[in-house]
Amino acid sequence: ETGVTQTPRHLVMGMTNKKSLKCEQHLGHNAMYWYKQSAKKPLELMFVYNFKEQTENNSVPSRFSPECPNSSHLFLHLHTLQPEDSALYLCASSQDGADPKEQFFGPGTRLTVL
Amino acid sequence: GQNIDQPTEMTATEGAIVQINCTYQTSGFNGLFWYQQHAGEAPTFLSYNVLDGLEEKGRFSSFLSRSKGYSYLLLKELQMKDSASYLCAVVDSNYQLIWGAGTKLIIKP
């Protein structure tokens, strides 16, 4: 595997379910990001991890919980989501989160909340 | 507040030239990115400008004017595969990326 991978690619869940999104980067980067992408809206930065430490949490509701066990893996744990949380969730990585040069994105997880 | 403006949608003809504009108002400036995103795929890096002027890379060029808070992406010799969304993003004073909503480019034969 190369680059940034995300699983699952598609996820449908009810509002009472608990699920997790997984991201893995094979680029040796030190920073990883979670973004939410909704139709016709700018990318919304959710969380940033730099050297496994969370450095950014952009007022994201607590029903989204990130986890970064090491610099290559990033998870987004989901529970009691709302229909408006339906979106494309993108993971990205870069060499250093303190100086974001080029970010490499994964293919995303298309999430539908029923 | 911080704001990135780009047109929502543009249409161009195969073989032609198209210019996608991006204007920004941000707290500080540490560079501007252009990304390409095909439908259902990940955004991919196109260009990075931090100094004023034109950066050329094959059929694609990116221009920056910091004094005007303005950039454009110029695509030449358009091909059908260039149909995609083009995202403008600015690095602010806190080294955060501020993203525009993207411009959907439709190429017609």
Side-chain angles (χ1 to χ4, degrees):
Chain A
E1 293 273 19
T2 58
V4 182
T5 58
Q6 290 186 244
T7 55
R9 293 294 308 277
H10 300 272
L11 178 62
V12 179
M13 60 187 290
M15 289 191 285
T16 58
N17 291 158
K18 286 186 179 181
K19 297 286 184 183
S20 295
L21 309 185
K22 179 182 176 182
C23 175
E24 186 173 358
Q25 59 97 359
H26 308 267
L27 300 167
H29 289 164
N30 297 305
M32 297 187 76
Y33 310 78
W34 278 118
Y35 285 95
K36 177 183 178 182
Q37 187 174 38
S38 303
K40 299 185 179 180
K41 288 187 176 181
L43 281 172
E44 297 175 47
L45 179 65
M46 300 174 72
F47 302 104
V48 181
Y49 279 82
N50 200 26
F51 293 91
K52 299 189 296 178
E53 297 295 321
Q54 186 175 315
T55 58
E56 196 69 33
N57 175 344
N58 278 353
S59 304
V60 180
S62 59
R63 58 186 183 269
F64 294 92
S65 174
E67 179 190 358
C68 187
N70 55 62
S71 57
S72 298
H73 294 84
L74 186 64
F75 296 89
L76 188 63
H77 304 299
L78 317 171
H79 65 99
T80 59
L81 294 191
Q82 304 297 312
E84 59 265 29
D85 296 323
S86 298
L88 181 68
Y89 288 85
L90 291 165
C91 174
S93 71
S94 69
Q95 187 59 47
D96 183 347
D99 183 13
K101 291 290 191 276
E102 179 182 352
Q103 292 186 11
F104 293 78
F105 286 83
T109 296
R110 174 67 64 185
L111 174 67
T112 303
V113 182
L114 301 176
Chain B
Q2 311 211 83
N3 196 48
I4 309 285
D5 286 315
Q6 40 180 147
T8 303
E9 187 173 298
M10 299 181 70
T11 302
T13 304
E14 190 176 15
I17 299 173
V18 71
Q19 177 175 312
I20 303 174
N21 296 325
C22 171
T23 58
Y24 61 89
Q25 301 90 37
T26 56
S27 57
F29 178 86
N30 283 298
L32 184 145
F33 289 90
W34 284 97
Y35 280 78
Q36 179 191 60
Q37 186 178 24
H38 286 101
E41 297 184 13
T44 54
F45 170 84
L46 287 178
S47 67
Y48 173 69
N49 294 67
V50 67
L51 299 176
D52 289 352
L54 187 69
E55 296 271 349
E56 296 186 76
K57 192 184 294 185
R59 294 189 299 114
F60 292 9
S61 303
S62 56
F63 172 83
L64 174 67
S65 169
R66 288 172 297 171
S67 62
K68 295 182 180 178
Y70 167 70
S71 173
Y72 67 73
L73 182 69
L74 190 72
L75 292 75
K76 303 176 184 176
E77 302 169 17
L78 285 170
Q79 301 175 10
M80 298 303 292
K81 67 178 182 179
D82 298 329
S83 292
S85 288
Y86 292 85
L87 311 179
C88 174
V90 172
V91 185
D92 71 5
S93 56
N94 294 320
Y95 291 93
Q96 294 279 342
L97 267 178
I98 311 300
W99 294 84
T103 298
K104 183 178 180 180
L105 178 63
I106 300 168
I107 308 298
K108 295 186 174 179

